[in-house]
Amino acid sequence: MGRRPDAPPRLWRVLRSAPWCVVALMAAFVLAVSSSGVTPAAAAPSGGDVWTWGRNQFGQLGNGTTSPSTQPGSTVPVQADLPAGTTATAVAGGYGFSVALTSTGQVLAWGQNDVGQLGDGTFTDRTTPLQVHLPAGTTVTAIAAGDDYVLALTSNGQVLAWGYNEWGQLGNGVTGGESDVPVAVHLPAGTTVTAISSGAGHALADLHR
C-alpha cells in the first residue's frame, strides 16, 4: 500500500526534542501521555470507558470532532465515542492517534492515519474509534503504540504490527513504506511472546521457546 498522497515529511517527527511517550499503570486505569500535547492522554477506568484530553487536530480525542485543534487543546477529559456495548481494558497513544484494547480482544483506533497507523485498510483520519482489521479469529491481549505504528500481542503468543515501517519497526522482514492493515511480525520459529513494548521507531518483545 502507498502512503496517503498528502502525508507530511516524517523527519520533523524524529528531530523534535520533547519526550516521546510516558506510560504508567495507575490503580484501576491505564494512563498514556505523549509529547507536546499532540497526542492526547487517554485513560480507561475500571468501568471500561475511555477518557481523553489534549490536542485534537486529527480527531485523536475520539469524540467525533477535531476541536480544539490548537493549543492548549482540551484541558479537561472528554469521553471517547466507543461503539455501543464496548468495554475498554487498555489504551495507548501514538503521535496524533489513539488505540484501545477491548474486553473481547479486538482493537479500536482513531486519530491521524497518514501512514496506516489505524489499521483499518485506509489512510483516512478518524474522529471516532473504529475497529482495526485484525486477521479472522484473532484475539489480542496487549497493545503498544509507537510514534506512528502499533503492536498487538495475540492470545497465541504472536505479534501483529501496522503503520509506518521506515526503520523496519513492523518486523516483517522489510524496511520502508507502511502497512494499513496488521501484518505478522517474523518471530523466530518455535517462540512465543509474553510482553511487548514500543519505542518511537523500534519495537521490543519478551520471547520464550
Side-chain angles (χ1 to χ4, degrees):
M1 294 291 182
R3 186 184 311 172
R4 197 174 69 183
D6 61 344
R10 317 299 287 177
L11 182 60
W12 63 274
R13 292 190 177 183
V14 179
L15 296 179
R16 69 184 187 276
S17 59
W20 173 74
C21 186
V22 177
V23 180
L25 181 64
M26 300 177 62
F29 64 91
V30 175
L31 177 67
V33 184
S34 287
S35 64
S36 303
V38 175
T39 298
S46 56
D49 297 321
V50 174
W51 294 80
T52 61
W53 55 97
R55 196 172 178 185
N56 196 34
Q57 79 275 38
F58 302 112
Q60 59 263 53
L61 298 190
N63 65 344
T65 76
T66 55
S67 176
S69 61
T70 58
Q71 291 184 342
S74 177
T75 58
V76 296
V78 296
Q79 190 168 355
D81 294 334
L82 300 181
T86 299
T87 298
T89 59
V91 292
Y95 193 84
F97 73 99
S98 305
V99 289
L101 176 63
T102 75
S103 59
T104 60
Q106 299 302 295
V107 180
L108 303 174
W110 60 97
Q112 188 177 26
N113 196 29
D114 60 329
V115 289
Q117 59 267 55
L118 301 190
D120 68 336
T122 77
F123 295 95
T124 303
D125 296 348
R126 308 290 183 175
T127 61
T128 56
L130 52 80
Q131 192 161 303
V132 172
H133 292 183
L134 299 173
T138 299
T139 298
V140 172
T141 59
I143 53 174
D147 197 355
D148 38 26
Y149 73 100
V150 180
L151 300 175
L153 176 61
T154 71
S155 58
N156 63 354
Q158 300 303 293
V159 181
L160 300 173
W162 59 94
Y164 200 44
N165 195 39
E166 181 176 1
W167 301 282
Q169 58 265 54
L170 300 190
N172 62 341
V174 299
T175 59
E178 55 277 313
S179 178
D180 58 7
V181 293
V183 295
V185 173
H186 292 185
L187 301 173
T191 62
T192 58
V193 173
T194 57
I196 54 174
S197 185
S198 55
H202 73 290
L204 303 89
D206 185 6
L207 270 69
H208 296 263
R209 293 188 182 275

